[in-house]
Amino acid sequence: MKSEPASYGWTDLVRDGGTEWDGVRNPAAAKHLREMAVGDEALIYHSGPQKAAVGVVRIVRGAQPDGDDGRWVSVRIEPGAPLPRPVTLATMKATPALADMVVLRQSRLSVSPVGDAQWAVIMKLAR
């Protein structure tokens, strides 16, 4: 889940204790939100100057309508834990095991899936 930290970043999420992840207006990203279930975890990735995965969030409410036309959805998230060390975009791109990661192939998506093996690699890189 990408965020621009100048608008709403990890520290804002921690301060607020959670937020509604809404305003996503891309069909592919909305599809990924619909696939999230309560208890799933997701990475928060700061776009902009930092370009790094910085923390883990929990999905605490699944998709619900976001707007009137039914195409868009939101989920509720709460902060889990910050990554011990941010995992930069440059590091992700330089890691062969992450070559197929959607965020690296479709960089404009604000929400994209991370496979189990990719998740494990990110967690290892964060240590």
Side-chain angles (χ1 to χ4, degrees):
M1 304 176 94
K2 281 188 188 176
S3 74
E4 174 59 55
S7 297
Y8 195 87
W10 176 257
T11 56
D12 300 302
L13 179 63
V14 170
R15 176 197 66 221
D16 296 346
T19 193
E20 191 69 20
W21 203 262
D22 58 4
V24 174
R25 296 298 185 259
N26 173 284
K31 174 185 174 288
H32 299 314
L33 284 176
R34 279 187 194 90
E35 293 169 349
M36 293 178 171
V38 172
D40 285 351
E41 292 182 314
L43 293 168
I44 290 293
Y45 175 90
H46 280 172
S47 57
Q50 189 176 17
K51 291 183 178 62
V54 297
V56 176
V57 300
R58 285 182 307 276
I59 309 306
V60 295
R61 199 212 63 253
Q64 72 175 25
D66 180 16
D68 295 332
D69 70 9
R71 292 188 305 164
W72 313 120
V73 296
S74 65
V75 298
R76 179 126 186 112
I77 62 172
E78 290 181 354
L83 294 181
R85 184 176 72 192
V87 180
T88 66
L89 178 61
T91 298
M92 289 182 214
K93 286 182 175 182
T95 304
L98 299 178
D100 290 334
M101 219 170 146
V102 175
V103 73
L104 302 179
R105 293 183 293 118
Q106 296 176 325
S107 62
R108 295 185 53 99
L109 280 181
S110 60
V111 179
S112 60
V114 176
D116 292 340
Q118 295 165 339
W119 184 275
V121 170
I122 295 287
M123 294 301 123
K124 183 176 179 182
L125 292 169
R127 283 183 247 132

